[in-house]
Coordinates of all heavy atoms in Angstrom, one line a residue:
M174 N 135.4 94.7 70.3 CA 134.1 95.4 70.2 C 133.7 95.6 68.8 O 132.6 95.6 68.5 CB 134.1 96.7 71.0 CG 132.8 97.3 71.2 SD 132.6 98.1 72.7 CE 132.8 99.8 72.3
G175 N 134.6 95.9 67.9 CA 134.3 95.9 66.5 C 133.7 97.3 66.0 O 133.2 97.4 65.0
Y176 N 133.8 98.3 66.8 CA 133.3 99.6 66.5 C 134.2 100.3 65.5 O 135.4 100.4 65.7 CB 133.1 100.4 67.8 CG 132.5 101.8 67.5 CD1 131.2 101.9 67.1 CD2 133.2 102.9 67.6 CE1 130.6 103.1 66.8 CE2 132.7 104.2 67.4 CZ 131.4 104.2 67.0 OH 130.8 105.5 66.7
K177 N 133.6 100.8 64.5 CA 134.3 101.5 63.4 C 133.8 103.0 63.3 O 132.7 103.2 62.9 CB 134.2 100.9 62.1 CG 134.5 99.4 62.1 CD 136.0 99.2 61.9 CE 136.3 97.7 61.7 NZ 137.4 97.3 62.3
L178 N 134.7 103.9 63.8 CA 134.3 105.3 63.8 C 134.2 105.8 62.3 O 133.4 106.7 62.0 CB 135.3 106.1 64.6 CG 135.0 107.6 64.7 CD1 133.7 107.9 65.4 CD2 136.1 108.3 65.4
H179 N 135.0 105.3 61.4 CA 135.0 105.8 60.1 C 133.6 105.5 59.4 O 133.2 106.3 58.5 CB 136.1 105.2 59.2 CG 136.0 103.8 58.9 ND1 136.4 102.8 59.9 CD2 135.6 103.1 57.8 CE1 136.2 101.6 59.3 NE2 135.7 101.8 58.1
K180 N 132.9 104.5 59.8 CA 131.6 104.3 59.2 C 130.6 105.4 59.6 O 129.9 105.9 58.8 CB 131.0 102.9 59.7 CG 131.5 101.8 59.0 CD 130.7 100.5 59.4 CE 131.2 99.3 58.7 NZ 130.5 98.1 59.1
Q181 N 130.7 105.8 60.9 CA 129.8 106.8 61.4 C 130.1 108.2 60.7 O 129.2 108.9 60.3 CB 129.9 107.0 62.9 CG 129.0 108.0 63.5 CD 129.0 108.0 65.0 OE1 129.7 107.2 65.6 NE2 128.2 108.8 65.6
V182 N 131.4 108.5 60.5 CA 131.8 109.7 59.8 C 131.3 109.6 58.4 O 130.9 110.6 57.8 CB 133.3 109.9 60.0 CG1 133.8 111.1 59.1 CG2 133.7 110.2 61.4
F183 N 131.5 108.5 57.7 CA 131.0 108.3 56.3 C 129.5 108.6 56.2 O 129.1 109.3 55.3 CB 131.4 106.9 55.8 CG 130.9 106.7 54.4 CD1 131.5 107.2 53.3 CD2 129.8 105.8 54.2 CE1 131.0 107.0 52.1 CE2 129.3 105.6 53.0 CZ 130.0 106.1 51.9
Y184 N 128.7 108.0 57.1 CA 127.3 108.3 57.0 C 126.9 109.7 57.3 O 126.0 110.3 56.7 CB 126.5 107.4 58.0 CG 126.6 105.9 57.7 CD1 126.9 105.0 58.7 CD2 126.5 105.5 56.4 CE1 126.9 103.6 58.4 CE2 126.6 104.1 56.1 CZ 126.8 103.2 57.1 OH 126.9 101.9 56.8
L185 N 127.7 110.3 58.2 CA 127.5 111.7 58.6 C 127.7 112.6 57.3 O 126.9 113.5 57.0 CB 128.4 112.1 59.7 CG 128.5 113.6 60.1 CD1 127.1 114.0 60.7 CD2 129.6 113.9 61.1
Q186 N 128.8 112.3 56.6 CA 129.1 113.1 55.4 C 128.0 112.9 54.4 O 127.7 113.8 53.7 CB 130.5 112.7 54.9 CG 131.6 113.2 55.7 CD 132.9 112.6 55.3 OE1 133.0 111.7 54.4 NE2 134.0 113.2 55.8
G187 N 127.6 111.7 54.2 CA 126.5 111.4 53.3 C 125.2 112.2 53.6 O 124.6 112.7 52.7
L188 N 124.9 112.2 54.9 CA 123.7 113.0 55.2 C 123.8 114.5 55.0 O 122.9 115.2 54.6 CB 123.3 112.7 56.7 CG 122.7 111.3 57.0 CD1 122.5 111.1 58.5 CD2 121.3 111.2 56.3
L189 N 125.0 115.0 55.2 CA 125.3 116.4 55.0 C 125.4 116.8 53.5 O 125.3 117.9 53.2 CB 126.5 116.9 55.8 CG 126.4 116.9 57.3 CD1 127.7 117.2 57.9 CD2 125.3 117.9 57.7
L190 N 125.5 115.8 52.7 CA 125.5 116.1 51.2 C 124.1 116.4 50.7 O 124.0 117.1 49.7 CB 126.1 114.9 50.5 CG 127.6 114.8 50.4 CD1 128.0 113.5 49.7 CD2 128.2 116.0 49.7
I191 N 123.1 115.9 51.4 CA 121.7 116.1 50.9 C 121.4 117.6 50.8 O 121.0 118.1 49.8 CB 120.7 115.4 51.8 CG1 120.9 113.9 51.7 CG2 119.3 115.8 51.5 CD1 120.2 113.0 52.7
P192 N 121.6 118.4 51.9 CA 121.3 119.9 51.8 C 122.3 120.6 50.9 O 121.9 121.6 50.2 CB 121.4 120.4 53.2 CG 122.1 119.4 54.0 CD 121.9 118.1 53.3
L193 N 123.5 120.1 50.8 CA 124.5 120.7 49.9 C 124.1 120.6 48.4 O 124.2 121.5 47.7 CB 125.9 120.1 50.1 CG 127.1 120.7 49.4 CD1 127.3 122.1 49.9 CD2 128.3 119.9 49.6
V194 N 123.7 119.4 48.1 CA 123.2 119.2 46.7 C 121.9 119.9 46.4 O 121.7 120.5 45.4 CB 123.0 117.7 46.4 CG1 122.3 117.4 45.1 CG2 124.3 116.9 46.5
A195 N 121.0 120.0 47.5 CA 119.8 120.7 47.3 C 120.0 122.2 47.1 O 119.3 122.9 46.3 CB 118.9 120.5 48.5
M196 N 121.1 122.8 47.7 CA 121.4 124.2 47.5 C 121.9 124.5 46.1 O 121.7 125.6 45.6 CB 122.5 124.6 48.5 CG 122.1 124.7 49.9 SD 123.4 125.0 51.1 CE 124.3 126.4 50.4
V197 N 122.4 123.5 45.4 CA 122.8 123.7 44.0 C 121.6 123.8 43.1 O 121.6 124.6 42.2 CB 123.7 122.5 43.6 CG1 124.0 122.6 42.1 CG2 125.0 122.5 44.4
F198 N 120.6 123.0 43.4 CA 119.4 122.9 42.5 C 118.3 123.9 42.8 O 117.4 124.1 42.0 CB 118.9 121.5 42.4 CG 119.9 120.6 41.8 CD1 120.6 119.6 42.5 CD2 120.2 120.7 40.4 CE1 121.5 118.7 41.9 CE2 121.1 119.8 39.8 CZ 121.7 118.9 40.6
T199 N 118.2 124.4 44.0 CA 117.1 125.2 44.4 C 117.5 126.3 45.3 O 118.5 126.2 46.0 CB 115.9 124.4 45.1 OG1 114.9 125.2 45.4 CG2 116.4 123.7 46.3
D200 N 116.7 127.4 45.4 CA 117.0 128.5 46.3 C 116.2 128.3 47.6 O 116.4 129.2 48.5 CB 116.6 129.8 45.6 CG 117.5 130.2 44.5 OD1 118.7 129.8 44.5 OD2 117.1 130.9 43.6
A201 N 115.4 127.3 47.7 CA 114.7 127.0 48.9 C 115.5 126.6 50.1 O 115.2 126.8 51.3 CB 113.6 126.0 48.7
V202 N 116.7 126.0 49.8 CA 117.6 125.6 50.9 C 118.8 126.6 50.9 O 119.5 126.7 49.9 CB 118.1 124.1 50.6 CG1 119.1 123.7 51.7 CG2 117.0 123.2 50.4
K203 N 118.9 127.2 52.0 CA 120.0 128.2 52.2 C 120.7 128.0 53.5 O 120.3 128.5 54.6 CB 119.4 129.6 52.2 CG 118.7 130.0 50.9 CD 118.0 131.3 51.0 CE 117.3 131.6 49.7 NZ 116.3 132.6 49.8
W204 N 121.7 127.1 53.5 CA 122.4 126.8 54.7 C 123.8 127.6 54.6 O 124.4 127.7 53.6 CB 122.7 125.3 54.8 CG 121.6 124.5 55.3 CD1 120.3 124.8 55.2 CD2 121.7 123.2 55.9 NE1 119.5 123.8 55.7 CE2 120.3 122.8 56.2 CE3 122.7 122.4 56.3 CZ2 120.1 121.6 56.9 CZ3 122.4 121.3 57.0 CH2 121.1 120.9 57.3
S205 N 124.2 128.0 55.8 CA 125.5 128.6 55.9 C 126.5 127.6 56.4 O 126.1 126.5 56.7 CB 125.5 129.8 56.9 OG 125.2 129.4 58.2
V206 N 127.8 127.9 56.5 CA 128.8 127.0 57.0 C 128.4 126.7 58.5 O 128.6 125.5 58.9 CB 130.2 127.6 56.9 CG1 131.2 126.8 57.6 CG2 130.5 127.9 55.5
F207 N 127.9 127.6 59.2 CA 127.5 127.4 60.6 C 126.4 126.4 60.7 O 126.4 125.5 61.6 CB 127.1 128.7 61.2 CG 126.7 128.6 62.7 CD1 127.7 128.4 63.6 CD2 125.4 128.7 63.1 CE1 127.4 128.3 65.0 CE2 125.1 128.6 64.4 CZ 126.1 128.4 65.4
D208 N 125.5 126.4 59.8 CA 124.4 125.4 59.8 C 124.9 124.0 59.6 O 124.5 123.0 60.2 CB 123.4 125.7 58.7 CG 122.6 127.0 58.9 OD1 122.4 127.3 60.1 OD2 122.3 127.7 58.0
F209 N 125.9 123.9 58.6 CA 126.5 122.6 58.4 C 127.2 122.1 59.6 O 127.2 120.9 60.0 CB 127.4 122.6 57.2 CG 126.7 122.6 55.9 CD1 126.4 123.7 55.2 CD2 126.2 121.4 55.4 CE1 125.7 123.7 54.0 CE2 125.5 121.3 54.2 CZ 125.3 122.5 53.5
I210 N 127.9 123.0 60.3 CA 128.7 122.6 61.5 C 127.7 122.1 62.6 O 128.0 121.1 63.3 CB 129.6 123.7 62.0 CG1 130.7 124.0 61.0 CG2 130.1 123.5 63.4 CD1 131.5 125.2 61.2
I211 N 126.7 122.9 62.8 CA 125.7 122.5 63.9 C 125.1 121.2 63.6 O 124.9 120.3 64.4 CB 124.6 123.6 64.0 CG1 125.3 124.9 64.6 CG2 123.5 123.2 64.9 CD1 125.8 124.7 66.0
M212 N 124.7 121.0 62.3 CA 124.0 119.7 62.0 C 125.0 118.5 62.1 O 124.6 117.5 62.5 CB 123.4 119.8 60.6 CG 122.7 118.5 60.2 SD 121.4 118.0 61.4 CE 120.1 119.2 61.0
A213 N 126.3 118.8 61.7 CA 127.3 117.7 61.9 C 127.4 117.3 63.4 O 127.5 116.2 63.7 CB 128.6 118.2 61.3
V214 N 127.5 118.3 64.2 CA 127.6 118.1 65.7 C 126.3 117.3 66.2 O 126.5 116.3 66.9 CB 127.8 119.4 66.5 CG1 127.7 119.2 68.0 CG2 129.2 120.0 66.1
L215 N 125.2 117.8 65.8 CA 123.9 117.1 66.2 C 123.9 115.6 65.7 O 123.6 114.7 66.5 CB 122.7 117.8 65.7 CG 122.3 119.1 66.4 CD1 121.2 119.8 65.6 CD2 121.9 118.8 67.8
L216 N 124.2 115.4 64.5 CA 124.2 114.0 63.9 C 125.3 113.2 64.6 O 125.1 112.0 64.8 CB 124.4 114.1 62.4 CG 123.2 114.6 61.6 CD1 123.6 114.8 60.2 CD2 122.0 113.6 61.8
F217 N 126.4 113.7 64.8 CA 127.5 113.0 65.5 C 127.1 112.5 66.9 O 127.2 111.3 67.2 CB 128.8 113.8 65.6 CG 129.9 113.1 66.3 CD1 130.6 112.1 65.7 CD2 130.2 113.4 67.6 CE1 131.6 111.4 66.3 CE2 131.2 112.7 68.3 CZ 131.9 111.7 67.6
F218 N 126.5 113.4 67.7 CA 126.1 113.0 69.0 C 124.9 112.1 69.0 O 124.7 111.2 69.9 CB 125.8 114.2 69.9 CG 127.1 114.8 70.4 CD1 127.5 116.1 69.9 CD2 127.9 114.1 71.3 CE1 128.7 116.6 70.4 CE2 129.1 114.7 71.8 CZ 129.5 115.9 71.3
L219 N 124.0 112.2 68.0 CA 122.9 111.3 67.8 C 123.5 109.9 67.5 O 123.1 108.9 68.2 CB 122.0 111.7 66.7 CG 120.9 110.7 66.3 CD1 119.9 110.5 67.5 CD2 120.2 111.1 65.1
G220 N 124.4 109.8 66.6 CA 125.0 108.5 66.3 C 125.8 107.9 67.5 O 125.7 106.7 67.7
L221 N 126.5 108.8 68.2 CA 127.2 108.3 69.4 C 126.2 107.8 70.5 O 126.4 106.7 71.0 CB 128.0 109.5 70.0 CG 128.9 109.1 71.1 CD1 130.0 108.1 70.7 CD2 129.5 110.4 71.7
G222 N 125.1 108.5 70.7 CA 124.1 108.1 71.7 C 123.5 106.8 71.3 O 123.3 105.9 72.1
L223 N 123.2 106.6 70.0 CA 122.6 105.4 69.5 C 123.5 104.2 69.6 O 123.1 103.1 70.0 CB 122.1 105.5 68.0 CG 120.9 106.5 67.8 CD1 120.7 106.6 66.3 CD2 119.7 106.0 68.5
D224 N 124.8 104.4 69.4 CA 125.8 103.4 69.5 C 126.0 103.0 71.0 O 126.1 101.8 71.3 CB 127.1 103.8 68.9 CG 127.2 103.7 67.4 OD1 126.3 103.0 66.9 OD2 128.1 104.2 66.8
L225 N 126.0 104.0 71.9 CA 126.1 103.7 73.3 C 125.0 102.8 73.8 O 125.1 101.9 74.5 CB 126.3 105.0 74.1 CG 127.6 105.7 74.0 CD1 127.5 107.0 74.7 CD2 128.7 104.9 74.5
V226 N 123.8 103.2 73.4 CA 122.6 102.4 73.7 C 122.7 101.0 73.2 O 122.4 100.0 73.9 CB 121.3 103.1 73.3 CG1 120.1 102.2 73.4 CG2 121.1 104.4 74.1
R227 N 123.1 100.9 71.9 CA 123.2 99.6 71.3 C 124.2 98.7 72.0 O 124.0 97.5 72.1 CB 123.5 99.8 69.8 CG 123.6 98.5 69.0 CD 123.9 98.8 67.6 NE 125.2 99.4 67.5 CZ 126.0 99.2 66.5 NH1 125.6 98.5 65.5 NH2 127.2 99.8 66.4
F228 N 125.3 99.2 72.4 CA 126.4 98.4 73.0 C 126.1 98.1 74.4 O 126.6 97.1 74.9 CB 127.7 99.1 72.8 CG 128.3 99.0 71.4 CD1 128.8 100.2 70.8 CD2 128.3 97.8 70.7 CE1 129.3 100.1 69.5 CE2 128.8 97.8 69.4 CZ 129.3 98.9 68.8
Y229 N 125.5 99.0 75.2 CA 125.5 98.9 76.6 C 124.1 98.5 77.2 O 124.0 98.2 78.4 CB 126.0 100.1 77.3 CG 127.5 100.3 77.1 CD1 127.9 101.4 76.3 CD2 128.4 99.4 77.5 CE1 129.3 101.6 76.1 CE2 129.8 99.6 77.3 CZ 130.2 100.7 76.5 OH 131.5 100.8 76.3
I230 N 123.1 98.5 76.4 CA 121.8 98.2 76.9 C 121.4 96.8 76.4 O 121.2 96.7 75.1 CB 120.7 99.3 76.6 CG1 121.1 100.6 77.1 CG2 119.3 98.9 77.1 CD1 121.2 100.7 78.6
A231 N 121.2 95.9 77.2 CA 120.9 94.5 76.8 C 119.4 94.3 76.6 O 119.0 93.5 75.7 CB 121.4 93.5 77.7
A232 N 118.5 94.9 77.4 CA 117.1 94.7 77.3 C 116.6 95.3 76.0 O 116.7 96.5 75.8 CB 116.4 95.3 78.5
V233 N 115.9 94.5 75.2 CA 115.5 95.0 73.9 C 114.4 96.1 74.0 O 114.5 97.1 73.2 CB 114.9 93.8 73.1 CG1 114.4 94.2 71.7 CG2 116.0 92.7 72.9
R234 N 113.5 95.9 74.8 CA 112.4 96.9 75.0 C 113.0 98.3 75.4 O 112.6 99.3 74.9 CB 111.3 96.5 75.9 CG 110.5 95.3 75.3 CD 109.5 94.9 76.2 NE 108.3 95.7 75.8 CZ 107.1 95.5 76.3 NH1 106.9 94.7 77.3 NH2 106.1 96.2 75.9
L235 N 113.9 98.2 76.4 CA 114.5 99.4 76.9 C 115.4 100.1 75.8 O 115.4 101.3 75.6 CB 115.4 99.1 78.1 CG 116.1 100.3 78.7 CD1 115.1 101.4 79.2 CD2 117.0 99.9 79.9
R236 N 116.1 99.2 75.0 CA 116.9 99.7 74.0 C 116.1 100.5 72.9 O 116.4 101.6 72.5 CB 117.6 98.6 73.3 CG 118.6 99.0 72.2 CD 119.2 97.8 71.5 NE 119.9 96.9 72.4 CZ 120.4 95.8 72.1 NH1 120.2 95.3 70.9 NH2 121.0 95.0 73.0
W237 N 114.9 99.9 72.5 CA 114.1 100.6 71.5 C 113.5 101.9 72.1 O 113.3 102.9 71.4 CB 113.0 99.6 71.0 CG 113.5 98.7 70.0 CD1 113.8 97.4 70.1 CD2 113.8 99.1 68.6 NE1 114.3 96.9 68.9 CE2 114.3 97.9 68.0 CE3 113.8 100.3 67.9 CZ2 114.7 97.9 66.7 CZ3 114.2 100.2 66.6 CH2 114.6 99.1 66.0
F238 N 113.1 101.8 73.4 CA 112.6 103.0 74.0 C 113.6 104.2 74.0 O 113.3 105.3 73.7 CB 112.2 102.7 75.5 CG 111.7 103.9 76.2 CD1 110.5 104.5 76.0 CD2 112.6 104.5 77.2 CE1 110.1 105.7 76.7 CE2 112.2 105.6 77.9 CZ 110.9 106.2 77.6
L239 N 114.9 103.8 74.3 CA 115.9 104.8 74.4 C 116.3 105.3 72.9 O 116.6 106.5 72.7 CB 117.2 104.3 75.1 CG 117.0 104.1 76.6 CD1 118.3 103.4 77.1 CD2 116.7 105.4 77.3
F240 N 116.2 104.4 72.0 CA 116.4 104.8 70.6 C 115.4 105.9 70.2 O 115.7 106.9 69.6 CB 116.3 103.6 69.6 CG 117.5 102.7 69.5 CD1 117.3 101.5 68.9 CD2 118.7 103.1 69.9 CE1 118.4 100.7 68.8 CE2 119.8 102.3 69.8 CZ 119.7 101.1 69.3
L241 N 114.1 105.6 70.5 CA 113.0 106.5 70.2 C 113.2 107.9 70.9 O 113.0 108.9 70.3 CB 111.7 105.9 70.5 CG 111.3 104.8 69.5 CD1 110.0 104.1 70.0 CD2 111.1 105.3 68.1
M242 N 113.6 107.8 72.2 CA 113.8 109.0 72.9 C 114.9 109.9 72.4 O 114.8 111.1 72.3 CB 114.0 108.7 74.4 CG 112.8 108.2 75.2 SD 111.5 109.4 75.2 CE 110.3 108.6 74.0
L243 N 116.0 109.2 72.0 CA 117.2 109.9 71.4 C 116.7 110.6 70.1 O 117.1 111.7 69.8 CB 118.3 109.0 71.2 CG 119.2 108.7 72.4 CD1 120.2 107.6 72.1 CD2 119.8 109.9 73.0
L244 N 116.0 109.8 69.3 CA 115.5 110.4 68.0 C 114.6 111.5 68.2 O 114.6 112.5 67.5 CB 114.9 109.3 67.2 CG 114.5 109.6 65.8 CD1 115.7 110.0 64.9 CD2 113.8 108.5 65.1
L245 N 113.7 111.4 69.2 CA 112.7 112.5 69.5 C 113.5 113.7 70.0 O 113.2 114.8 69.6 CB 111.7 112.0 70.5 CG 110.7 113.0 70.9 CD1 109.8 113.3 69.7 CD2 109.8 112.5 72.0
L246 N 114.5 113.5 70.8 CA 115.3 114.7 71.3 C 116.0 115.3 70.1 O 116.0 116.6 70.0 CB 116.3 114.2 72.4 CG 117.2 115.2 72.9 CD1 116.4 116.3 73.7 CD2 118.3 114.6 73.8
F247 N 116.6 114.5 69.3 CA 117.3 115.1 68.1 C 116.3 115.9 67.2 O 116.6 117.0 66.8 CB 117.9 114.0 67.3 CG 118.3 114.4 65.9 CD1 119.5 115.1 65.7 CD2 117.6 114.1 64.8 CE1 119.9 115.5 64.5 CE2 118.0 114.5 63.5 CZ 119.1 115.2 63.4
L248 N 115.1 115.4 67.0 CA 114.2 116.1 66.1 C 113.7 117.4 66.8 O 113.5 118.4 66.1 CB 113.0 115.2 65.8 CG 113.3 114.0 64.8 CD1 112.1 113.1 64.7 CD2 113.7 114.5 63.5
M249 N 113.5 117.3 68.1 CA 113.0 118.5 68.8 C 114.1 119.6 68.8 O 113.8 120.8 68.5 CB 112.7 118.2 70.2 CG 111.4 117.4 70.4 SD 111.0 116.9 72.1 CE 110.8 118.5 72.8
V250 N 115.3 119.3 68.9 CA 116.4 120.3 68.9 C 116.5 120.8 67.5 O 116.7 122.0 67.2 CB 117.8 119.7 69.4 CG1 118.9 120.6 69.1 CG2 117.7 119.4 70.8
W251 N 116.5 119.9 66.5 CA 116.6 120.3 65.1 C 115.4 121.3 64.7 O 115.7 122.3 64.1 CB 116.6 119.1 64.2 CG 116.8 119.4 62.7 CD1 117.3 120.5 62.1 CD2 116.5 118.5 61.6 NE1 117.4 120.3 60.8 CE2 116.8 119.1 60.5 CE3 115.9 117.2 61.6 CZ2 116.6 118.5 59.2 CZ3 115.7 116.7 60.3 CH2 116.1 117.3 59.2
I252 N 114.2 121.0 65.1 CA 113.1 121.8 64.8 C 113.2 123.2 65.5 O 112.9 124.2 64.9 CB 111.8 121.1 65.1 CG1 111.5 119.9 64.2 CG2 110.6 122.1 65.1 CD1 110.4 119.0 64.6
E253 N 113.6 123.1 66.7 CA 113.8 124.4 67.5 C 114.8 125.3 66.8 O 114.6 126.5 66.7 CB 114.1 124.1 68.9 CG 114.3 125.3 69.7 CD 113.1 126.2 69.8 OE1 112.0 125.7 69.8 OE2 113.3 127.5 69.8
L254 N 116.0 124.7 66.4 CA 117.0 125.5 65.8 C 116.6 126.0 64.4 O 116.9 127.1 64.0 CB 118.3 124.7 65.7 CG 119.0 124.4 67.0 CD1 120.2 123.5 66.7 CD2 119.5 125.7 67.6
A255 N 115.8 125.2 63.7 CA 115.3 125.6 62.3 C 114.3 126.7 62.3 O 114.4 127.7 61.6 CB 114.8 124.3 61.6
V256 N 113.2 126.5 63.1 CA 112.1 127.4 63.0 C 111.7 128.0 64.4 O 110.8 128.9 64.4 CB 110.9 126.8 62.4 CG1 111.2 126.5 60.9 CG2 110.4 125.6 63.1
G257 N 112.2 127.6 65.5 CA 111.9 128.1 66.8 C 110.4 127.8 67.2 O 109.7 128.6 67.7
L258 N 110.0 126.6 66.9 CA 108.6 126.2 67.1 C 108.2 126.1 68.6 O 107.2 126.6 69.0 CB 108.4 124.8 66.5 CG 107.0 124.2 66.5 CD1 106.0 125.1 65.7 CD2 106.9 122.8 66.0
F259 N 109.1 125.5 69.4 CA 108.7 125.3 70.8 C 108.8 126.5 71.7 O 107.9 126.8 72.5 CB 109.5 124.1 71.4 CG 109.4 122.9 70.6 CD1 110.4 122.4 69.8 CD2 108.2 122.2 70.5 CE1 110.3 121.2 69.1 CE2 108.0 121.1 69.8 CZ 109.1 120.6 69.1
L260 N 109.9 127.2 71.6 CA 110.1 128.4 72.5 C 109.4 129.6 72.0 O 109.4 130.6 72.8 CB 111.6 128.6 72.7 CG 112.4 127.5 73.4 CD1 113.9 127.9 73.5 CD2 111.8 127.3 74.8
S261 N 108.9 129.6 70.8 CA 108.2 130.8 70.4 C 106.9 131.0 71.0 O 106.3 132.1 71.0 CB 108.0 130.7 68.8 OG 107.1 129.6 68.5
F262 N 106.3 130.0 71.7 CA 105.1 130.2 72.4 C 105.2 131.0 73.7 O 104.3 131.6 74.2 CB 104.5 128.8 72.9 CG 104.1 128.0 71.7 CD1 104.6 126.7 71.5 CD2 103.1 128.4 70.8 CE1 104.2 125.9 70.5 CE2 102.7 127.7 69.7 CZ 103.2 126.4 69.6
F263 N 106.5 131.2 74.2 CA 106.7 131.9 75.4 C 107.1 133.3 75.2 O 107.3 134.1 76.2 CB 107.8 131.2 76.2 CG 107.4 129.8 76.6 CD1 108.1 128.7 76.0 CD2 106.4 129.5 77.4 CE1 107.8 127.4 76.3 CE2 106.0 128.2 77.7 CZ 106.8 127.1 77.2
H264 N 107.1 133.8 74.0 CA 107.5 135.2 73.7 C 106.3 136.0 73.3 O 105.4 135.7 72.8 CB 108.5 135.3 72.6 CG 109.8 134.6 72.9 ND1 110.7 135.2 73.9 CD2 110.4 133.5 72.5 CE1 111.7 134.5 74.0 NE2 111.6 133.4 73.2

């Protein structure tokens, strides 16, 4: 199958370096260790979901649809955890 988990972990670490470097240069980014852990888990499962769709879905249109749905789900969870945009309407 040729799947390499170390590539996914390498990309995950690279993405998590962005807020870490931003925290050094500006006070606008204030992440705790918990924030890094949550984002690592979210990114890991996003990558896992995208890989599962890529390996097991043969139809190209369905594959792209599922890619977009996974990305949309990831963005909605990230936005909700960051600022509480969606559930704040019900309070």
Side-chain angles (χ1 to χ4, degrees):
M174 188 148 102
Y176 180 70
K177 306 277 188 217
L178 182 63
H179 69 278
K180 279 186 179 180
Q181 185 174 359
V182 172
F183 176 73
Y184 295 139
L185 175 68
Q186 290 172 349
L188 286 173
L189 289 175
L190 278 176
I191 295 170
L193 186 65
V194 170
M196 286 173 51
V197 172
F198 293 110
T199 181
D200 290 332
V202 180
K203 297 175 184 159
W204 281 28
S205 67
V206 173
F207 183 70
D208 294 327
F209 281 100
I210 292 170
I211 292 296
M212 185 52 76
V214 169
L215 283 174
L216 288 172
F217 178 77
F218 282 111
L219 173 66
L221 184 66
L223 292 175
D224 280 344
L225 288 174
V226 168
R227 183 177 61 148
F228 286 131
Y229 293 114
I230 304 297
V233 176
R234 294 182 90 179
L235 179 60
R236 185 185 303 170
W237 279 105
F238 174 76
L239 291 174
F240 280 165
L241 290 174
M242 290 299 107
L243 283 171
L244 187 62
L245 182 64
L246 178 66
F247 167 76
L248 289 175
M249 289 177 63
V250 170
W251 184 20
I252 291 170
E253 179 59 35
L254 289 173
V256 294
L258 182 67
F259 303 111
L260 294 179
S261 65
F262 292 124
F263 302 113
H264 293 292

